[in-house]
Amino acid sequence: MSNYNYAKETYAKYGIDTEKAIAALMNVPVSVHCWQGDDVVGFDCKAELSGGIQTTGNYPGKATTPEELMADMDKAFSLTPGAKKLNLHACYAILGDETVGRDEIQPKHFAPWVRFAKERGIGIDFNPTFFSHPMVKDGLTLSSPDENVRAYWVRHGQACLKIAEYFATETGIPSVMNIWIPDGYKDIPADRLSPRARFKKSLDEILAIPYDKTKVYVTLESKVFGIGVESYTVGSAEFCLSYSDYKGITPLMDNGHYHPTEVVSDKISSLLLFNEKIALHVTRAVRWDSDHVVIFDDETKEIAKEIVRNNALDRVFIALDYFDASINRVAAWVVGMRNMQKALLNALLLPSEALAQYQAEANYTKVLAVTEEMKTLPFGLVWDEYCHRCGAPVGMDWIREVDAYEADVLSKR
Ligand code: RNT
Ligand code: ZN
């Protein structure tokens, strides 16, 4: 008997169909963030990273051109099972010799990315870039009291909406456009209301331009604090959830953006009850919103379980959001992508209905006992089979491929 067949039979004893799990996962796209490949620099103005987010490390070989970034992403894609989307930030516009403000960018500045996505049969998600730019004034963008600054960033948001729509039209796959602003204050503000009122007004203005809501899902990402903006964040959880509800857009939760004992896994069910779609940035916060590479840890597994057991694989936009400059960047992508896939597969291989039934019967003993038993089932064998069927490397093979890529390509940059 093959290893996989042994695993299949073992899971079958618990009423779990490994074939069904594998088939279900193959069609779930995970959006892969281009910004892991170059430490969130982009191509438009290559300004220093700002906005309270940080990359640390200077591992050699980072991508500095669109060609390099595309090649690195391709490499990472080839080493990871499962369906993908490309997640771009506006600062990855390909401008050539043109000088173009962020408020003037157009679909044509992303045509090479569209070609890249189309050739690979994948969709594109998008993010306006409200940071690392000279028009960020006193750390503020859409909430700035300077009307000139605020209007600039409103125009940026509007320009991005059109670009997201173009991505959807070109690829035939809806585009998720996520708005996150870094705006906030280092110290206790004297006025908490006015910046939020201006942010609200700015969002209203961005969303006032016509766009096809079947093609573009606008999401709004909240945050609790950032480096240098420790005391007050304009786009707090309450602001963003309320705004999403008020405007009928989609809330986005980044699991690095909450107080340390709060978990996104516990928030998913509430949001699913009140939203047709929700969006996630899956990351790993170590002591703060540090954006470490996603690992196969308890919270990642729990997030995946919430998506799967609430039958929400088609209602949750799953995106990765982390950036580590201290290790091989292609490997960083691959590890995080593979772990997201593992977490989803793990969730699909749980007897969720039976567990829910035990809970309903107040049989908490069985909930605990069965949950713990599941942890030592031959998950790795199903994972290997899934990788194999997706045409992705099994086990250590991918690490050897990254080593070769580093020797042949990255080390020569
Ligand atoms: C920042 C947010 C945001 C960014 C990306 C680059 O804390 O998580 O999503 O990481 O837009
Ligand atoms: Zn995020």
Side-chain angles (χ1 to χ4, degrees), residues 316-348:
V316 182
F317 297 117
I318 307 169
L320 299 171
D321 181 18
Y322 57 80
F323 21 95
D324 193 334
S326 73
I327 57 174
N328 181 306
R329 292 173 186 78
V330 175
W333 256 320
V334 178
V335 170
M337 289 160 75
R338 287 176 76 101
N339 283 330
M340 188 68 236
Q341 292 281 318
K342 269 185 224 160
L344 290 165
L345 185 63
N346 179 64
L348 285 159

mmCIF file of all heavy atoms in Angstrom, residues 316-348:
data_model
loop_
_atom_site.group_PDB
_atom_site.id
_atom_site.type_symbol
_atom_site.label_atom_id
_atom_site.label_comp_id
_atom_site.label_asym_id
_atom_site.label_seq_id
_atom_site.Cartn_x
_atom_site.Cartn_y
_atom_site.Cartn_z
ATOM 1 N N VAL A 316 -14.261 34.166 1.683
ATOM 2 C CA VAL A 316 -13.128 34.827 2.343
ATOM 3 C C VAL A 316 -12.007 35.038 1.325
ATOM 4 O O VAL A 316 -11.520 34.075 0.724
ATOM 5 C CB VAL A 316 -12.604 33.984 3.533
ATOM 6 C CG1 VAL A 316 -11.465 34.714 4.237
ATOM 7 C CG2 VAL A 316 -13.727 33.669 4.517
ATOM 8 N N PHE A 317 -11.629 36.273 1.128
ATOM 9 C CA PHE A 317 -10.481 36.560 0.269
ATOM 10 C C PHE A 317 -9.234 36.371 1.123
ATOM 11 O O PHE A 317 -9.003 37.145 2.068
ATOM 12 C CB PHE A 317 -10.524 37.995 -0.250
ATOM 13 C CG PHE A 317 -11.717 38.297 -1.127
ATOM 14 C CD1 PHE A 317 -12.651 39.245 -0.740
ATOM 15 C CD2 PHE A 317 -11.896 37.645 -2.346
ATOM 16 C CE1 PHE A 317 -13.746 39.543 -1.547
ATOM 17 C CE2 PHE A 317 -12.993 37.933 -3.153
ATOM 18 C CZ PHE A 317 -13.916 38.882 -2.757
ATOM 19 N N ILE A 318 -8.465 35.352 0.792
ATOM 20 C CA ILE A 318 -7.274 35.054 1.607
ATOM 21 C C ILE A 318 -6.044 35.637 0.921
ATOM 22 O O ILE A 318 -5.755 35.302 -0.232
ATOM 23 C CB ILE A 318 -7.086 33.527 1.776
ATOM 24 C CG1 ILE A 318 -8.366 32.880 2.318
ATOM 25 C CG2 ILE A 318 -5.886 33.228 2.672
ATOM 26 C CD1 ILE A 318 -8.351 31.346 2.255
ATOM 27 N N ALA A 319 -5.353 36.506 1.641
ATOM 28 C CA ALA A 319 -4.107 37.068 1.094
ATOM 29 C C ALA A 319 -3.013 36.937 2.142
ATOM 30 O O ALA A 319 -3.280 36.922 3.347
ATOM 31 C CB ALA A 319 -4.312 38.538 0.735
ATOM 32 N N LEU A 320 -1.785 36.838 1.675
ATOM 33 C CA LEU A 320 -0.642 36.807 2.587
ATOM 34 C C LEU A 320 -0.076 38.209 2.699
ATOM 35 O O LEU A 320 -0.126 38.991 1.739
ATOM 36 C CB LEU A 320 0.426 35.845 2.046
ATOM 37 C CG LEU A 320 -0.038 34.389 1.910
ATOM 38 C CD1 LEU A 320 1.010 33.561 1.172
ATOM 39 C CD2 LEU A 320 -0.332 33.786 3.278
ATOM 40 N N ASP A 321 0.430 38.540 3.869
ATOM 41 C CA ASP A 321 1.031 39.868 4.042
ATOM 42 C C ASP A 321 2.149 39.794 5.076
ATOM 43 O O ASP A 321 1.886 39.868 6.277
ATOM 44 C CB ASP A 321 -0.029 40.892 4.484
ATOM 45 C CG ASP A 321 0.570 42.287 4.654
ATOM 46 O OD1 ASP A 321 1.671 42.529 4.127
ATOM 47 O OD2 ASP A 321 -0.063 43.127 5.315
ATOM 48 N N TYR A 322 3.358 39.595 4.581
ATOM 49 C CA TYR A 322 4.524 39.609 5.482
ATOM 50 C C TYR A 322 5.733 39.985 4.641
ATOM 51 O O TYR A 322 5.681 39.954 3.404
ATOM 52 C CB TYR A 322 4.703 38.238 6.155
ATOM 53 C CG TYR A 322 4.855 37.083 5.197
ATOM 54 C CD1 TYR A 322 6.072 36.802 4.584
ATOM 55 C CD2 TYR A 322 3.782 36.270 4.861
ATOM 56 C CE1 TYR A 322 6.214 35.752 3.676
ATOM 57 C CE2 TYR A 322 3.909 35.225 3.971
ATOM 58 C CZ TYR A 322 5.132 34.974 3.384
ATOM 59 O OH TYR A 322 5.259 33.949 2.488
ATOM 60 N N PHE A 323 6.793 40.373 5.297
ATOM 61 C CA PHE A 323 8.008 40.723 4.545
ATOM 62 C C PHE A 323 9.222 40.527 5.425
ATOM 63 O O PHE A 323 9.383 41.194 6.430
ATOM 64 C CB PHE A 323 7.963 42.154 4.003
ATOM 65 C CG PHE A 323 7.004 43.095 4.698
ATOM 66 C CD1 PHE A 323 7.447 43.926 5.717
ATOM 67 C CD2 PHE A 323 5.657 43.141 4.329
ATOM 68 C CE1 PHE A 323 6.568 44.801 6.366
ATOM 69 C CE2 PHE A 323 4.782 44.001 4.983
ATOM 70 C CZ PHE A 323 5.225 44.834 5.995
ATOM 71 N N ASP A 324 10.042 39.580 5.020
ATOM 72 C CA ASP A 324 11.260 39.278 5.770
ATOM 73 C C ASP A 324 12.441 39.480 4.839
ATOM 74 O O ASP A 324 12.545 38.832 3.804
ATOM 75 C CB ASP A 324 11.199 37.833 6.290
ATOM 76 C CG ASP A 324 12.265 37.565 7.331
ATOM 77 O OD1 ASP A 324 13.319 38.256 7.313
ATOM 78 O OD2 ASP A 324 12.061 36.668 8.168
ATOM 79 N N ALA A 325 13.328 40.407 5.214
ATOM 80 C CA ALA A 325 14.503 40.701 4.387
ATOM 81 C C ALA A 325 15.747 40.028 4.936
ATOM 82 O O ALA A 325 16.846 40.277 4.461
ATOM 83 C CB ALA A 325 14.707 42.219 4.327
ATOM 84 N N SER A 326 15.574 39.176 5.943
ATOM 85 C CA SER A 326 16.750 38.585 6.579
ATOM 86 C C SER A 326 17.042 37.167 6.087
ATOM 87 O O SER A 326 18.014 36.553 6.490
ATOM 88 C CB SER A 326 16.568 38.570 8.103
ATOM 89 O OG SER A 326 15.621 37.587 8.454
ATOM 90 N N ILE A 327 16.155 36.642 5.244
ATOM 91 C CA ILE A 327 16.363 35.292 4.696
ATOM 92 C C ILE A 327 16.115 35.347 3.194
ATOM 93 O O ILE A 327 15.637 36.365 2.680
ATOM 94 C CB ILE A 327 15.408 34.256 5.338
ATOM 95 C CG1 ILE A 327 13.932 34.672 5.143
ATOM 96 C CG2 ILE A 327 15.696 34.083 6.823
ATOM 97 C CD1 ILE A 327 12.921 33.623 5.612
ATOM 98 N N ASN A 328 16.451 34.281 2.503
ATOM 99 C CA ASN A 328 16.183 34.198 1.064
ATOM 100 C C ASN A 328 14.711 34.553 0.816
ATOM 101 O O ASN A 328 13.805 33.910 1.362
ATOM 102 C CB ASN A 328 16.495 32.774 0.589
ATOM 103 C CG ASN A 328 16.264 32.591 -0.891
ATOM 104 O OD1 ASN A 328 15.173 32.875 -1.398
ATOM 105 N ND2 ASN A 328 17.277 32.133 -1.597
ATOM 106 N N ARG A 329 14.498 35.576 0.013
ATOM 107 C CA ARG A 329 13.130 36.101 -0.134
ATOM 108 C C ARG A 329 12.200 35.157 -0.891
ATOM 109 O O ARG A 329 10.988 35.157 -0.659
ATOM 110 C CB ARG A 329 13.175 37.477 -0.810
ATOM 111 C CG ARG A 329 13.814 38.546 0.068
ATOM 112 C CD ARG A 329 14.005 39.848 -0.683
ATOM 113 N NE ARG A 329 14.748 40.821 0.110
ATOM 114 C CZ ARG A 329 16.073 40.792 0.279
ATOM 115 N NH1 ARG A 329 16.800 39.855 -0.308
ATOM 116 N NH2 ARG A 329 16.668 41.696 1.028
ATOM 117 N N VAL A 330 12.767 34.388 -1.801
ATOM 118 C CA VAL A 330 11.935 33.411 -2.525
ATOM 119 C C VAL A 330 11.504 32.312 -1.541
ATOM 120 O O VAL A 330 10.333 31.920 -1.499
ATOM 121 C CB VAL A 330 12.697 32.827 -3.743
ATOM 122 C CG1 VAL A 330 11.882 31.730 -4.414
ATOM 123 C CG2 VAL A 330 13.029 33.936 -4.742
ATOM 124 N N ALA A 331 12.447 31.893 -0.716
ATOM 125 C CA ALA A 331 12.115 30.878 0.295
ATOM 126 C C ALA A 331 11.056 31.430 1.264
ATOM 127 O O ALA A 331 10.149 30.706 1.679
ATOM 128 C CB ALA A 331 13.368 30.459 1.055
ATOM 129 N N ALA A 332 11.168 32.708 1.598
ATOM 130 C CA ALA A 332 10.182 33.314 2.509
ATOM 131 C C ALA A 332 8.784 33.212 1.901
ATOM 132 O O ALA A 332 7.813 32.863 2.582
ATOM 133 C CB ALA A 332 10.543 34.770 2.779
ATOM 134 N N TRP A 333 8.696 33.514 0.630
ATOM 135 C CA TRP A 333 7.399 33.370 -0.054
ATOM 136 C C TRP A 333 6.907 31.923 0.040
ATOM 137 O O TRP A 333 5.770 31.661 0.409
ATOM 138 C CB TRP A 333 7.558 33.690 -1.538
ATOM 139 C CG TRP A 333 7.067 34.994 -2.012
ATOM 140 C CD1 TRP A 333 5.932 35.660 -1.649
ATOM 141 C CD2 TRP A 333 7.731 35.814 -3.002
ATOM 142 N NE1 TRP A 333 5.847 36.832 -2.355
ATOM 143 C CE2 TRP A 333 6.915 36.954 -3.182
ATOM 144 C CE3 TRP A 333 8.909 35.689 -3.752
ATOM 145 C CZ2 TRP A 333 7.252 37.968 -4.091
ATOM 146 C CZ3 TRP A 333 9.230 36.691 -4.643
ATOM 147 C CH2 TRP A 333 8.415 37.821 -4.803
ATOM 148 N N VAL A 334 7.808 31.008 -0.359
ATOM 149 C CA VAL A 334 7.403 29.607 -0.476
ATOM 150 C C VAL A 334 6.965 29.051 0.883
ATOM 151 O O VAL A 334 5.934 28.382 0.978
ATOM 152 C CB VAL A 334 8.554 28.753 -1.078
ATOM 153 C CG1 VAL A 334 8.142 27.286 -1.153
ATOM 154 C CG2 VAL A 334 8.939 29.265 -2.460
ATOM 155 N N VAL A 335 7.720 29.362 1.916
ATOM 156 C CA VAL A 335 7.371 28.840 3.244
ATOM 157 C C VAL A 335 5.981 29.338 3.647
ATOM 158 O O VAL A 335 5.119 28.564 4.076
ATOM 159 C CB VAL A 335 8.436 29.243 4.297
ATOM 160 C CG1 VAL A 335 7.954 28.906 5.707
ATOM 161 C CG2 VAL A 335 9.757 28.542 4.008
ATOM 162 N N GLY A 336 5.740 30.633 3.481
ATOM 163 C CA GLY A 336 4.443 31.187 3.873
ATOM 164 C C GLY A 336 3.301 30.655 3.024
ATOM 165 O O GLY A 336 2.214 30.340 3.532
ATOM 166 N N MET A 337 3.551 30.559 1.723
ATOM 167 C CA MET A 337 2.500 30.059 0.823
ATOM 168 C C MET A 337 2.176 28.602 1.140
ATOM 169 O O MET A 337 1.007 28.200 1.203
ATOM 170 C CB MET A 337 2.961 30.174 -0.638
ATOM 171 C CG MET A 337 3.024 31.603 -1.166
ATOM 172 S SD MET A 337 4.101 31.752 -2.627
ATOM 173 C CE MET A 337 3.080 31.023 -3.877
ATOM 174 N N ARG A 338 3.221 27.805 1.318
ATOM 175 C CA ARG A 338 2.991 26.390 1.615
ATOM 176 C C ARG A 338 2.273 26.236 2.958
ATOM 177 O O ARG A 338 1.398 25.384 3.108
ATOM 178 C CB ARG A 338 4.317 25.606 1.582
ATOM 179 C CG ARG A 338 4.860 25.410 0.169
ATOM 180 C CD ARG A 338 6.222 24.731 0.158
ATOM 181 N NE ARG A 338 6.192 23.311 0.417
ATOM 182 C CZ ARG A 338 6.288 22.349 -0.509
ATOM 183 N NH1 ARG A 338 6.386 22.662 -1.787
ATOM 184 N NH2 ARG A 338 6.291 21.076 -0.159
ATOM 185 N N ASN A 339 2.637 27.070 3.905
ATOM 186 C CA ASN A 339 1.995 26.933 5.218
ATOM 187 C C ASN A 339 0.529 27.340 5.197
ATOM 188 O O ASN A 339 -0.296 26.752 5.898
ATOM 189 C CB ASN A 339 2.792 27.692 6.277
ATOM 190 C CG ASN A 339 4.029 26.913 6.670
ATOM 191 O OD1 ASN A 339 4.030 25.688 6.629
ATOM 192 N ND2 ASN A 339 5.087 27.608 7.025
ATOM 193 N N MET A 340 0.200 28.338 4.390
ATOM 194 C CA MET A 340 -1.218 28.694 4.265
ATOM 195 C C MET A 340 -1.982 27.516 3.670
ATOM 196 O O MET A 340 -3.084 27.161 4.122
ATOM 197 C CB MET A 340 -1.353 29.947 3.378
ATOM 198 C CG MET A 340 -2.747 30.517 3.338
ATOM 199 S SD MET A 340 -3.233 31.236 4.929
ATOM 200 C CE MET A 340 -4.730 30.343 5.281
ATOM 201 N N GLN A 341 -1.395 26.920 2.655
ATOM 202 C CA GLN A 341 -2.027 25.752 2.033
ATOM 203 C C GLN A 341 -2.159 24.597 3.030
ATOM 204 O O GLN A 341 -3.187 23.930 3.097
ATOM 205 C CB GLN A 341 -1.194 25.295 0.822
ATOM 206 C CG GLN A 341 -1.199 26.281 -0.342
ATOM 207 C CD GLN A 341 -2.476 26.188 -1.157
ATOM 208 O OE1 GLN A 341 -2.955 25.100 -1.435
ATOM 209 N NE2 GLN A 341 -3.030 27.321 -1.531
ATOM 210 N N LYS A 342 -1.088 24.385 3.787
ATOM 211 C CA LYS A 342 -1.127 23.307 4.791
ATOM 212 C C LYS A 342 -2.241 23.538 5.801
ATOM 213 O O LYS A 342 -2.961 22.614 6.169
ATOM 214 C CB LYS A 342 0.196 23.278 5.567
ATOM 215 C CG LYS A 342 1.248 22.386 5.001
ATOM 216 C CD LYS A 342 2.442 22.394 5.970
ATOM 217 C CE LYS A 342 3.726 22.509 5.182
ATOM 218 N NZ LYS A 342 4.855 22.983 6.000
ATOM 219 N N ALA A 343 -2.366 24.793 6.238
ATOM 220 C CA ALA A 343 -3.390 25.095 7.248
ATOM 221 C C ALA A 343 -4.779 24.822 6.688
ATOM 222 O O ALA A 343 -5.653 24.294 7.389
ATOM 223 C CB ALA A 343 -3.255 26.543 7.703
ATOM 224 N N LEU A 344 -4.988 25.173 5.423
ATOM 225 C CA LEU A 344 -6.303 24.931 4.811
ATOM 226 C C LEU A 344 -6.559 23.438 4.648
ATOM 227 O O LEU A 344 -7.658 22.943 4.922
ATOM 228 C CB LEU A 344 -6.398 25.658 3.459
ATOM 229 C CG LEU A 344 -6.466 27.188 3.558
ATOM 230 C CD1 LEU A 344 -6.183 27.838 2.199
ATOM 231 C CD2 LEU A 344 -7.823 27.656 4.082
ATOM 232 N N LEU A 345 -5.528 22.712 4.205
ATOM 233 C CA LEU A 345 -5.695 21.267 4.039
ATOM 234 C C LEU A 345 -5.963 20.611 5.394
ATOM 235 O O LEU A 345 -6.839 19.756 5.532
ATOM 236 C CB LEU A 345 -4.447 20.657 3.380
ATOM 237 C CG LEU A 345 -4.549 19.162 3.047
ATOM 238 C CD1 LEU A 345 -5.644 18.892 2.016
ATOM 239 C CD2 LEU A 345 -3.210 18.623 2.535
ATOM 240 N N ASN A 346 -5.230 21.053 6.383
ATOM 241 C CA ASN A 346 -5.429 20.526 7.741
ATOM 242 C C ASN A 346 -6.881 20.730 8.185
ATOM 243 O O ASN A 346 -7.506 19.826 8.746
ATOM 244 C CB ASN A 346 -4.461 21.242 8.685
ATOM 245 C CG ASN A 346 -4.599 20.774 10.122
ATOM 246 O OD1 ASN A 346 -4.340 19.627 10.433
ATOM 247 N ND2 ASN A 346 -5.051 21.668 10.990
ATOM 248 N N ALA A 347 -7.408 21.915 7.903
ATOM 249 C CA ALA A 347 -8.786 22.217 8.299
ATOM 250 C C ALA A 347 -9.776 21.337 7.542
ATOM 251 O O ALA A 347 -10.787 20.889 8.097
ATOM 252 C CB ALA A 347 -9.087 23.691 8.044
ATOM 253 N N LEU A 348 -9.473 21.089 6.271
ATOM 254 C CA LEU A 348 -10.367 20.258 5.454
ATOM 255 C C LEU A 348 -10.334 18.791 5.885
ATOM 256 O O LEU A 348 -11.200 18.006 5.509
ATOM 257 C CB LEU A 348 -9.984 20.383 3.972
ATOM 258 C CG LEU A 348 -10.394 21.705 3.306
ATOM 259 C CD1 LEU A 348 -9.552 21.970 2.059
ATOM 260 C CD2 LEU A 348 -11.874 21.690 2.941
#
